Amino acid sequence: MPPPPPLLLLAVLVAAAARPGCEFDGSLAGECHRPPAADSATCVDLQLRTCSDAAYNHTTFPTPLQHRSREAVETSSEYILLSVLHQLLEGQCNPDLRLLGCAVLAPRCEGGRVRRPCRHVCEGLREACQPAFDAIDMAWPYFLDCHRYFKREDEGCYDPLEKLRGGLEADEVLPSGLPPTFIRFSHHSYAQMARVLRRTAARCAHVARTYSIGRSFDGRDLLVIEFSSRPGQHELMEPEVKLIGNIHGNEVAGREMLIYLTQYLCSEYLLGNPRIQRLLNTTRIHLLPSMNPDGYEVAAAEGAGYNGWTSGRQNAQNLDLNRNFPDLTSEYYRLAGTRSVRSDHIPIPEHYWWGKVAPETKAIMKWMQTIPFVLSASLHGGDLVVSYPFDFSKHPQEEKMFSPTPDEKTFKLLSRAYAEVHPMMMDRSENRCGGNFLKRGSIINGADWYSFTGGMSDFNYLHTNCFEITVELGCVKFPPEEALYTIWQHNKESLLNFVETVHRGIKGVVMDKYGKPVKNARILVKGIRHDITTAPDGDYWRLLPPGTHIVIAQAPGYARLIKKVIIPARMKRAGRVDFILQPLGVGPKNFLPGLRRTGPHDPLGGASPLGEGTEPNPDPLRARRQPSAGGSKPWWWSYFTSLSAHRPRWLLKY
């Protein structure tokens, strides 16, 4: 073909120059090649409900998936998937995956240009969330292809999860001249709380670390700071303690007390305080300042002094988290009248999972299955008293009825450890906050105060080895800032004294004759119908009051072993009581009868809480998450085919 006439070539160049964004590529046809749609676009308002909490307000059409309108996006199977991911994955990777998908289905548009999400964010989420998809036999969504729809950082990408981080990476500079041990006695927003926890962990990195046990419904990390001589590791014979604040979002004093305690423990450890150093070197302490960060945001928006009695109490789903745990107390009362039947480590009933389970509740339960907690306290507000299980009356129709656990004496000891060093709880004035509990020593059995079901303390006691009390820190749920220092002074010693009580009673290791640890062995105390079980390393901790106790260790396949233990009244360090179990063929062939039932294996992903060597039957929820057999479609397939005309075969693995 002969070269184009010079005048024609010049005309093409002039036309290209006159059209913004048009590049001449030297082709004979003189075609105008605009930059890819990823770089140039017409921005419109983002109106997709599922993506309403994205970090941007404008998008563009067509999208990378060639959806040309909002209606086209909303009727697509990709969008339907994003809207139900939380339910499909049972709260895992939420809202991260949804926001990542929104970055593709509704691309970010600014100043007439589209910004692409970062590839490294996608790759990190895929690595973390792939197991959740595998568990329900679902393929990784094609539109979350990290190489096709995402860019490298050097190509100018953005982080679609930046809103979740909420500026947490930025450090907060303290006023000049203040020492690092300075504690600011003020209310802390979520971002401020997270910065304090992470900054404190960095200052005491050899004894502290932060980690998340999950996310709230609105996607905020449930941040924990841990103090231990070896952060991140369970050490043999070292008891585990947890303190939880802000389970009700508008009860904020506990949240602030744990933020202050975090800084105090770190500073005093560095300053060489022998009490704090001994505590952190012999105890693994986990502090969760806010179990309900979403509810706190609602309460904080009204502010101290203006907050109502219930504003922000529930989580973002309008669920009361301290009524959202499985009701095991009713099952305990049913079993208590039957001899030779275990009434501890009660499994979660399968019908519980068909109800509305908050992600915060689920995170706590999974946390409890992961770590062998011995002692716990939940910090509340609204009165001034320490209550202990049971919280649910043994006669459900009775609103107030003394309903003790088999460990009534131990729970009283734990409750007094907090109350008796609290100056206001010991104040003799009956006109003060909490004065009506003065004659009881400022402690009370929960059901004797008022009865309710689904509480966290009862669940701790009946499902795990953990003993939990509830501390009401004052009559004002959202105290003014000027009151926080005084509240800290009243509670600092009580918090420390309570944590130290984890070293009461006995502890030890259960092993076989070869020195191999026996996990899930049962530790029984005669006269107390509540057993505890050994941790995977064979170690155990049994909180007990002073006195003489007959302690029995037993495990399937071994002969039981009985020891007499005397705990002096003033003894403040747990006595060491080890057990070496003999196989049944060697020792006497007697075994303390107990309930050998197969409870449901709940969707928390942890081991069976029964402590038995039996394999529990899977519950329907877990069974439906297993890979399909025989070429049949997974259980979720019919849901998508009923809602969309487009069958998302890209979700099928086979």
Side-chain angles (χ1 to χ4, degrees):
M1 178 182 255
L7 288 177
L8 178 59
L9 187 61
L10 179 61
V12 170
L13 288 171
V14 171
R19 298 168 66 184
C22 192
E23 297 177 358
F24 177 67
D25 64 354
S27 70
L28 298 179
E31 295 177 355
C32 174
H33 288 269
R34 294 181 182 274
D39 297 324
S40 178
T42 300
C43 299
V44 297
D45 288 343
L46 176 60
Q47 296 179 329
L48 298 172
R49 184 174 180 181
T50 294
C51 303
S52 61
D53 56 345
Y56 51 93
N57 299 316
H58 295 92
T59 186
T60 188
F61 298 101
T63 70
L65 304 185
Q66 296 306 306
H67 297 135
R68 298 188 175 275
S69 66
R70 189 187 83 181
E71 291 73 19
V73 173
E74 289 178 331
T75 57
S76 68
S77 52
E78 294 89 350
Y79 185 79
I80 292 172
L81 174 65
L82 289 188
S83 66
V84 298
L85 261 181
H86 175 65
Q87 285 79 15
L88 287 174
L89 303 183
E90 297 181 341
Q92 296 183 70
C93 300
N94 177 68
D96 308 52
L97 275 179
R98 178 173 54 78
L99 293 176
L100 191 73
C102 285
V104 177
L105 266 67
R108 183 172 188 163
C109 189
E110 291 179 352
R113 298 176 72 86
V114 172
R115 295 188 63 192
R116 297 297 184 205
C118 290
R119 184 174 298 163
H120 74 273
V121 177
C122 176
E123 291 171 339
L125 273 183
R126 177 156 191 176
E127 181 180 356
C129 302
Q130 183 69 61
F133 281 87
D134 293 340
I136 61 171
D137 201 21
M138 180 180 283
W140 184 258
Y142 81 93
F143 62 92
L144 297 183
D145 184 324
C146 301
H147 291 276
R148 184 175 181 183
Y149 297 108
F150 298 81
K151 278 189 171 183
R152 300 190 310 270
E153 286 187 84
D154 58 8
E155 295 176 314
C157 66
Y158 78 97
D159 182 355
L161 308 183
E162 60 184 308
K163 192 173 180 180
L164 282 182
R165 311 206 196 301
L168 299 184
E169 303 305 323
D171 200 4
E172 186 177 13
V173 180
L174 292 172
S176 59
L178 291 177
T181 55
F182 175 77
I183 297 176
R184 179 176 291 165
F185 293 98
S186 62
H187 290 292
H188 292 75
S189 69
Y190 177 78
Q192 289 170 335
M193 175 187 73
R195 281 198 291 269
V196 169
L197 297 185
R198 288 171 175 156
R199 186 173 60 226
T200 302
R203 282 186 61 220
C204 290
H206 57 302
V207 292
R209 70 164 182 135
T210 58
Y211 63 96
S212 172
I213 62 169
R215 289 273 177 85
S216 70
F217 186 81
D218 281 345
R220 295 179 175 89
D221 274 310
L222 302 178
L223 279 177
V224 175
I225 185 166
E226 169 200 334
F227 289 93
S228 170
S229 56
R230 291 188 179 178
Q233 299 180 44
H234 170 72
E235 294 185 73
L236 190 71
M237 306 293 294
E238 185 173 88
E240 311 255 4
V241 183
K242 59 182 168 72
L243 302 179
I244 299 175
N246 207 200
I247 185 171
H248 293 139
N250 63 331
E251 298 172 11
V252 305
R255 171 190 176 109
E256 298 304 332
M257 293 307 105
L258 295 186
I259 294 173
Y260 306 155
L261 180 62
T262 289
Q263 300 168 82
Y264 177 81
L265 291 175
C266 175
S267 297
E268 293 300 306
Y269 187 92
L270 294 177
L271 290 172
N273 182 323
R275 180 188 186 186
I276 301 303
Q277 289 191 337
R278 181 173 60 253
L279 182 63
L280 268 56
N281 288 332
T282 60
T283 320
R284 193 177 179 208
I285 305 169
H286 307 256
L287 308 180
L288 173 61
S290 184
M291 179 178 162
N292 186 3
D294 299 345
Y296 175 84
E297 294 302 313
V298 175
E302 295 185 359
Y306 297 94
N307 180 259
W309 194 253
T310 59
S311 298
R313 176 184 174 92
Q314 285 89 354
N315 78 336
Q317 296 168 284
N318 202 33
L319 293 174
D320 187 327
L321 298 181
N322 204 34
R323 307 292 187 274
N324 194 230
F325 286 84
D327 173 21
L328 303 184
T329 322
S330 296
E331 178 68 2
Y332 167 81
Y333 291 139
R334 188 184 70 82
L335 296 172
T338 307
R339 296 190 64 181
S340 301
V341 172
R342 291 185 60 181
S343 56
D344 53 79
H345 295 82
I346 299 173
I348 299 172
E350 53 187 80
H351 64 77
Y352 168 77
W353 298 109
W354 294 101
K356 208 170 185 179
V357 182
E360 297 91 342
T361 308
K362 189 174 180 181
I364 293 291
M365 292 192 290
K366 191 170 184 178
W367 190 32
M368 290 163 56
Q369 286 193 349
T370 305
I371 297 174
F373 289 114
V374 180
L375 183 64
S376 177
S378 175
L379 308 183
H380 292 247
D383 219 312
L384 190 64
V385 68
V386 180
S387 69
Y388 58 88
F390 288 125
D391 284 322
F392 187 44
S393 170
K394 58 185 175 182
H395 291 296
Q397 304 305 318
E398 296 291 336
E399 294 183 4
K400 295 183 178 183
M401 184 175 188
F402 178 61
S403 304
T405 69
D407 283 285
E408 167 73 5
K409 290 182 180 179
T410 299
F411 272 116
K412 278 190 172 182
L413 183 150
L414 298 174
S415 301
R416 287 172 180 150
Y418 198 100
E420 290 182 353
V421 293
H422 191 292
M424 291 307 296
M425 288 186 182
M426 290 296 103
D427 187 289
R428 305 306 299 175
S429 171
E430 294 188 5
N431 297 321
R432 64 167 173 82
C433 169
N436 52 316
F437 299 106
L438 181 60
K439 294 180 180 179
R440 300 172 180 261
S442 290
I443 68 171
I444 190 171
N445 170 257
D448 202 16
W449 183 13
Y450 64 93
S451 175
F452 68 92
T453 186
M456 186 165 65
S457 294
D458 282 11
F459 178 78
N460 269 267
Y461 181 70
L462 292 175
H463 189 64
T464 73
N465 292 333
C466 189
F467 287 46
E468 181 174 278
I469 64 168
T470 300
V471 182
E472 301 280 347
L473 295 172
C475 291
V476 181
K477 293 194 172 189
F478 203 127
E481 203 159 83
E482 56 268 23
L484 292 176
Y485 175 74
T486 301
I487 297 174
W488 164 247
Q489 289 298 316
H490 289 166
N491 287 278
K492 178 181 70 174
E493 179 59 29
S494 293
L495 288 165
L496 294 175
N497 197 50
F498 174 75
V499 172
E500 288 170 335
T501 59
V502 77
H503 295 283
R504 299 287 184 91
I506 59 174
K507 64 180 180 181
V509 178
V510 179
M511 63 193 88
D512 63 17
K513 64 178 183 178
Y514 302 106
K516 181 180 177 181
V518 179
K519 68 177 182 179
N520 287 332
R522 290 168 55 196
I523 304 298
L524 304 84
V525 179
K526 190 174 181 180
I528 302 177
R529 194 178 172 184
H530 184 85
D531 307 343
I532 58 103
T533 56
T534 55
D537 293 332
D539 46 348
Y540 77 91
W541 306 262
R542 188 36 165 119
L543 297 173
L544 287 170
T548 301
H549 302 279
I550 303 299
V551 183
I552 305 166
Q554 67 175 40
Y558 296 92
R560 64 174 179 165
L561 185 59
I562 303 174
K563 291 190 176 184
K564 182 179 179 180
V565 174
I566 300 175
I567 302 176
R570 296 181 179 273
M571 186 174 178
K572 293 188 176 182
R573 297 179 64 182
R576 179 79 180 261
V577 183
D578 293 337
F579 292 89
I580 300 176
L581 301 184
Q582 300 292 330
L584 279 175
V586 176
K589 296 185 178 182
N590 49 0
F591 189 77
L592 193 65
L595 176 64
R596 294 185 59 83
R597 50 191 168 149
T598 55
H601 195 86
D602 60 68
L604 296 175
S608 168
L610 297 177
E612 298 284 359
T614 57
E615 182 67 29
N617 293 326
D619 70 80
L621 276 173
R622 187 167 182 84
R624 74 178 188 178
R625 296 202 307 272
Q626 299 306 313
S628 53
S632 61
K633 296 290 191 295
W635 58 267
W636 44 261
W637 177 251
S638 59
Y639 175 81
F640 285 98
T641 55
S642 67
L643 291 181
S644 174
H646 308 287
R647 296 194 170 191
R649 296 190 179 278
W650 40 270
L651 284 175
L652 297 174
K653 289 178 124 181
Y654 312 104

